[in-house]
Amino acid sequence: MAQNGGEHVPAGTWGRVTEQAESTKDRSFDTMLDPWIGCLGLKPIDPAIANHYLPFLKAIDTLQLVPSYFSKDGELNESAAKLRVTDLGSLLDINLINLYAGTRPQLTVLEVGGGYGRLTEAVFNVFGPKQVKYVMIDSVPLSLFYAETYLSNNLPNISVGSYYKGDPFDLEKFDIYIIPTWHFEKLNRYEYDLGVNIESLQEMDQPKVDYYLGLFDKVVKKDGLIYISNSHDYIFKGEWNYPKNWNCLFRDNSPRSWTNDHPAEIFVKDHSVEAPARNRLLQFAHEKHVETFEDLTAKLADLLKKYEELVFEVPNDLLLLRFPTSQLIQVLKNRVRRRFGMKMKQAQLPRLQPNNA
Ligand SMILES: C[S@@+](CC[C@H](N)C(=O)[O-])C[C@H]1O[C@@H](n2cnc3c(N)ncnc32)[C@H](O)[C@@H]1O
């Protein structure tokens, strides 16, 4: 961690993860996975989760991976027994990538914040080393070390090079190369067909998000693709300043979205002069699905109007309806506050006039 105390220093939580990992006695791969895929990703797949993912997966499954794990009526089969929720995310990522990039004869990938190597492993299992070269950059050394060991163990026929082992950054010699961001900046001489960031920019701040979007813009080829899947309302709630020359091909929440505004997005770089107009329309289409605070307060206002009528028309035999309207509003406000946190400070519930006012 000492090396990267400058502009690339990761959020404080990652320092603590490193300290915990250094002090823990049980260093098996399984016990250490949590920082990269979280408690939700670690869960085994139950029927409810399978049903949540399946319609989307089936719609995009050009790789025909779904029938290997699910029967026709959506039952999990034996080979799915050991899968975790995070693996459904990998089926989703790899199919989305295939839809847009699968036919490219050469796929040189740059992944920022690739964690333990979840997507890298899936990409090599599906596309293979003849088609793919893969560079992973990160600013958390623990992630880089873990990924290097994990991928070397699990992809024995793939050559994995690492900056920390003293390997040269040479994609003729290695199929996968793993390197900290601040060394990548100086040593990279490749252009990429695909830039990827999943569940990682969402934990950063505005300068870092701007930096990585700019980095993709700098090193992804003309006509190259950028695949980004992050929450916009978790830790980082700032601006997503996508370069104007990126044309958005897809933007929508996916089954992975565990917050309200959490799109999977695919862009192509320098492809069309119409990019800004198209991007605006896709942003609008995505926002229509996202229940904003304002949507919710409008719904509450409607509900309260109905309650007002009930308060006056129905005898006071329901506990809730015995509340005076001001208390009822407070109860509902508290519920909204629990759901939307600090946003309550920025907006006011509409003031309602009692029906008999
Ligand atoms: C929650 S994990 C997601 C891992 C992986 N993308 C996946 O979906 O399985 C977040 C990743 O972002 C990395 N990260 C955190 N801060 C970073 C930074 N400032 N620059 C680059 N990577 C960072 C972490 O080391 C980790 O690999």
Side-chain angles (χ1 to χ4, degrees):
M1 291 293 289
Q3 267 192 53
N4 65 339
E7 62 172 318
H8 294 300
V9 69
T13 44
W14 286 99
R16 284 196 289 283
V17 166
T18 305
E19 282 159 21
Q20 274 160 17
E22 278 163 3
S23 64
T24 186
K25 287 192 182 109
D26 180 358
R27 293 188 187 186
S28 71
F29 273 85
D30 271 12
T31 54
M32 288 176 70
L33 270 178
D34 183 86
W36 294 289
I37 56 178
C39 53
L40 193 60
L42 278 166
K43 275 190 174 173
I45 301 168
D46 63 27
I49 291 174
N51 286 336
H52 175 61
Y53 270 84
L54 262 179
F56 191 89
L57 283 180
K58 279 184 181 163
I60 59 170
D61 189 29
T62 46
L63 290 166
Q64 290 292 305
L65 300 172
V66 170
S68 320
Y69 301 106
F70 295 92
S71 72
K72 274 199 178 124
D73 35 346
E75 299 288 319
L76 289 159
N77 65 28
E78 269 181 28
S79 46
K82 285 193 182 153
L83 294 190
R84 303 168 195 247
V85 173
T86 196
D87 298 308
L88 292 181
S90 300
L91 293 184
L92 185 156
D93 297 326
I94 198 84
N95 265 302
L96 279 177
I97 289 172
N98 186 53
L99 279 181
Y100 289 95
T103 54
R104 295 186 183 222
Q106 261 298 312
L107 199 56
T108 307
V109 183
L110 173 67
E111 185 174 11
V112 172
Y116 75 92
R118 178 184 64 77
L119 182 64
T120 322
E121 181 185 18
V123 164
F124 277 93
N125 282 337
V126 170
F127 296 107
K130 282 200 181 129
Q131 192 181 355
V132 181
K133 296 283 178 189
Y134 209 105
V135 175
M136 296 178 75
I137 66 173
D138 208 297
S139 76
V140 179
L142 181 73
S143 299
L144 295 159
F145 279 113
Y146 193 106
E148 195 257 307
T149 314
Y150 178 86
L151 292 169
S152 304
N153 287 352
N154 287 282
L155 297 171
N157 300 322
I158 304 295
S159 51
V160 182
S162 162
Y163 180 88
Y164 286 128
K165 282 197 308 191
D167 297 325
F169 186 0
D170 184 348
L171 296 181
E172 297 292 317
K173 288 203 170 109
F174 300 106
D175 302 312
I176 299 172
Y177 192 74
I178 299 175
I179 178 168
T181 302
W182 51 98
H183 290 303
F184 174 86
E185 273 176 347
K186 291 185 208 121
L187 296 177
N188 177 57
R189 56 194 167 87
Y190 298 101
E191 282 200 308
Y192 296 84
D193 300 282
L194 175 66
V196 179
N197 181 271
I198 300 170
E199 304 284 299
S200 157
L201 290 177
Q202 64 191 21
E203 298 175 345
M204 300 186 200
D205 55 19
Q206 189 73 59
K208 289 190 186 72
V209 173
D210 288 347
Y211 170 82
Y212 282 117
L213 295 181
L215 184 71
F216 282 146
D217 195 44
K218 197 161 120 194
V219 302
V220 169
K221 289 175 186 165
K222 178 173 160 39
D223 277 345
L225 298 157
I226 299 105
Y227 172 41
I228 295 179
S229 175
N230 278 282
S231 171
H232 291 197
D233 49 2
Y234 173 48
I235 295 174
F236 175 64
K237 294 180 187 160
E239 295 297 317
W240 290 79
N241 296 317
Y242 304 114
K244 294 207 166 31
N245 52 328
W246 292 13
N247 194 353
C248 185
L249 303 175
F250 174 77
R251 171 182 285 132
D252 212 340
N253 279 351
S254 78
R256 180 192 279 124
S257 306
W258 47 271
T259 68
N260 208 16
D261 184 0
H262 193 154
E265 300 170 292
I266 296 181
F267 300 89
V268 61
K269 193 184 143 187
D270 291 328
H271 187 66
S272 158
V273 286
E274 292 159 28
R278 196 183 149 78
N279 294 348
R280 268 170 189 269
L281 289 172
L282 281 163
Q283 179 64 24
F284 173 72
H286 167 65
E287 279 172 5
K288 266 202 321 198
H289 299 297
V290 175
E291 197 180 27
T292 61
F293 178 79
E294 286 71 27
D295 294 336
L296 201 84
T297 49
K299 273 190 199 157
L300 281 179
D302 279 353
L303 258 177
L304 283 170
K305 268 186 194 149
K306 281 182 199 147
Y307 276 129
E308 288 280 346
E309 279 157 26
L310 288 174
V311 169
F312 293 103
E313 284 170 14
V314 178
N316 283 351
D317 55 357
L318 286 174
L319 180 65
L320 193 63
L321 299 182
R322 279 202 219 108
F323 282 121
T325 309
S326 59
Q327 277 188 32
L328 186 59
I329 290 178
Q330 199 50 49
V331 170
L332 293 168
K333 265 185 173 178
N334 287 343
R335 286 197 189 157
V336 176
R337 187 175 286 123
R338 274 203 295 278
R339 179 153 175 212
F340 285 92
M342 299 309 289
K343 285 188 182 170
M344 271 303 286
K345 285 194 177 149
Q346 292 154 18
Q348 294 279 321
L349 274 173
R351 295 199 69 193
L352 295 174
Q353 298 299 321
N355 280 0
N356 59 351

